[in-house]
Amino acid sequence: MIETDVLVIGGGPAGMNAALASAQSGAHVLLVDKFQHLGGQLVKQTHKFFGWAEKGAGTRGFNLAKRLSEDVMNNDNVQILLGYEVVGAYRDGTYLAASWSDHITIKAKKLIVCTGAAERMILFENNDMPGVMGAGAVQTLMNEYGVLPAERFLIVGSGNVGVILAYQLLQAGATVDAIVDVLPKLGGAYWVHAAKVQRLGVPLLLGRTVLGVYGNSRVESAITAKVDEKMQPIPGTEKRHDVDAVALAVGLMPLTDIFQMMGVKTVYVPELGGFVPWHDECGRTTNKDIFVAGDAGGIEEATTASIGGTIAGLAAANDLGYQDNMQAVKDNLEALSIFRTSSLSKKVLEGIERMRGELNA
Ligand SMILES: Cc1cc2nc3c(=O)[nH]c(=O)nc-3n(C[C@H](O)[C@H](O)[C@H](O)COP(=O)(O)OP(=O)(O)OC[C@H]3O[C@@H](n4cnc5c(N)ncnc54)[C@H](O)[C@@H]3O)c2cc1C
């Protein structure tokens, strides 16, 4: 058994910043990630991150991961456990982390959950056929393991994830037949990215959905069709795409299993990506010893995940009686609210307001 002051689950930007903030305040921290390296989503991003320069924007994702993980590894108060997934959470503050070959029991006074998000899937004919993949899964194979899982792709979803994936696939030598999106306009990607992939010959087919994929034992083609104003396919508009993979970039949902195991109140907030743990501005949930930060508390992006992680880490250490951090908490809360004045944060702010209103519902 490992005993610690603060257990941080997830080594993405939220978790690394949370671990650093608690550790720099004097707390002993155990940071656990199921992968063999720290970095979370940052590791597979080759583009220069958007967001706030103070939080690493302008730096390529994998370099940002490297920089942050070096800071974490160099902090004597942080113990790192890689290759272990936290699979059990018990209400006496005991947690179970399992690897392929063994397991470890952890006892922690405070828990900060920074588990990030899972990819959404959509319904269409044969959507379980080999060759249908989440965009994040394609990125993991391609950018982390150096494996290009197919040669000809169709991408579903024109948000940042879909558009950035298209560019990365082209860089890796694959072809992208098209990016389709059911919406009549670009689904949230920055124009600068969308314009770039279109210049490279990838058509953006808006108002169109995927009806099915076909092949003998794996994807050999996909059929898409235009949709009407009720999002229903319009007969006669079908188009065949000769591809061997369909990458779904249709949204993310927060990973909340641990909160459910711990009896923490979760609330359904579409603006934040689905079910999220109710939490206050410091990330404290309805269990005062359990905090959330990053995408696990609502889908946003790396700058807010980083600041949210710092705030949760400071607050957890403060609760344990380590150095008085309240001024630093206030400074970070102010930074977060300034960052969220951008029009891009409008939806998230509406979601946060809706979630806070649900405490006694
Ligand atoms: C294609 C793409 C491009 C993006 N581009 C940008 C960008 O340019 N700018 C920007 O600001 N944001 C961008 N983002 C979003 C940003 O990457 C995320 O918002 C951010 O990484 C969220 O950080 P996080 O720490 O909450 O979660 P993640 O980075 O997802 O980290 C979660 C970590 O938790 C670990 N984990 C999960 N469950 C467990 C468990 N039970 N036990 C142990 N470990 C666990 C995972 O292995 C992972 O390492 C992009 C995202 C994608 C997919």
Side-chain angles (χ1 to χ4, degrees):
M1 177 183 284
I2 300 179
E3 289 197 34
T4 186
D5 289 327
V6 180
L7 168 63
V8 178
I9 308 177
M16 287 194 285
N17 278 290
L20 274 174
S22 282
Q24 284 161 355
S25 310
H28 178 262
V29 179
L30 177 67
L31 173 60
V32 184
D33 198 289
K34 61 186 174 186
F35 278 95
Q36 294 294 346
H37 52 71
L38 293 173
Q41 289 290 331
L42 301 183
V43 173
K44 46 193 169 184
Q45 304 312 334
T46 51
H47 64 288
K48 290 184 181 166
F49 260 50
F50 46 80
W52 241 3
E54 291 88 336
K55 289 290 170 189
T59 307
R60 294 191 190 279
F62 60 89
N63 283 330
L64 197 52
K66 189 163 171 273
R67 200 161 79 194
L68 261 174
S69 40
E70 277 167 8
D71 289 349
V72 174
M73 286 186 286
N74 287 333
N75 191 305
D76 291 341
N77 278 352
V78 185
Q79 186 180 350
I80 300 169
L81 190 61
L82 295 175
Y84 282 83
E85 178 166 5
V86 177
V87 291
Y90 305 91
R91 296 187 188 182
D92 64 349
T94 308
Y95 304 91
L96 186 74
S99 72
W100 287 107
S101 52
D102 68 353
H103 66 266
I104 293 175
T105 311
I106 300 161
K107 184 114 187 116
K109 294 176 189 148
K110 298 281 171 188
L111 171 68
I112 308 179
V113 180
C114 305
T115 45
E119 296 191 272
R120 288 186 180 281
M121 300 300 280
I122 49 172
L123 285 177
F124 54 84
E125 197 175 350
N126 298 327
N127 71 353
D128 59 349
M129 187 178 262
V132 178
M133 285 173 257
V138 177
Q139 285 192 323
T140 303
L141 284 167
M142 182 170 69
N143 298 346
E144 290 192 55
Y145 300 112
V147 175
L148 191 57
E151 289 174 359
R152 300 167 302 159
F153 281 80
L154 175 73
I155 295 178
V156 182
S158 69
N160 273 318
V161 175
V163 171
I164 288 170
L165 176 68
Y167 188 67
Q168 294 178 352
L169 283 167
L170 296 176
Q171 285 181 309
T175 59
V176 180
D177 194 74
I179 301 174
V180 297
D181 200 307
V182 75
L183 295 175
K185 59 182 177 52
L186 192 65
Y190 285 117
W191 257 113
V192 60
H193 293 143
K196 198 168 182 175
V197 295
Q198 286 183 95
R199 280 200 304 276
L200 291 167
V202 178
L204 197 53
L205 306 179
L206 300 176
R208 186 170 275 276
T209 191
V210 58
L211 298 183
V213 293
Y214 308 94
N216 279 326
S217 56
R218 55 160 303 145
V219 174
E220 290 169 18
S221 67
I223 303 286
T224 63
K226 282 191 181 164
V227 293
D228 61 21
E229 62 285 353
K230 290 187 180 147
M231 301 286 166
Q232 295 306 308
I234 304 172
T237 63
E238 292 84 0
K239 180 175 165 59
R240 178 189 156 113
H241 305 263
D242 288 319
V243 293
D244 46 20
V246 172
L248 300 176
V250 290
L252 301 168
M253 52 187 175
L255 278 171
T256 55
D257 334 21
I258 288 167
F259 302 109
Q260 280 148 6
M261 287 183 223
M262 294 298 283
V264 163
K265 181 181 173 79
T266 55
V267 183
Y268 186 73
V269 187
E271 296 90 338
L272 299 179
F275 278 99
V276 292
W278 185 95
H279 56 279
D280 68 11
E281 59 181 5
C282 289
R284 194 181 279 103
T285 65
T286 49
N287 178 329
K288 68 175 178 34
D289 294 326
I290 303 180
F291 294 75
V292 64
D295 282 355
I299 307 301
E300 220 174 332
E301 36 94 303
T303 296
T304 48
S306 300
I307 302 175
T310 302
I311 293 170
L314 290 169
N318 202 69
D319 282 6
L320 290 172
Y322 288 98
Q323 101 197 15
D324 180 1
N325 284 326
M326 287 328 284
Q327 189 53 46
V329 168
K330 274 189 196 143
D331 294 345
N332 277 280
L333 283 172
E334 199 181 325
L336 196 55
S337 70
I338 293 171
F339 183 77
R340 285 184 176 144
T341 51
S342 146
S343 59
L344 296 173
S345 295
K346 189 169 172 279
K347 193 172 103 181
V348 167
L349 287 174
E350 284 168 6
I352 292 173
E353 200 182 327
R354 184 202 288 254
M355 174 200 60
R356 296 267 156 80
E358 291 281 332
L359 182 56
N360 300 315

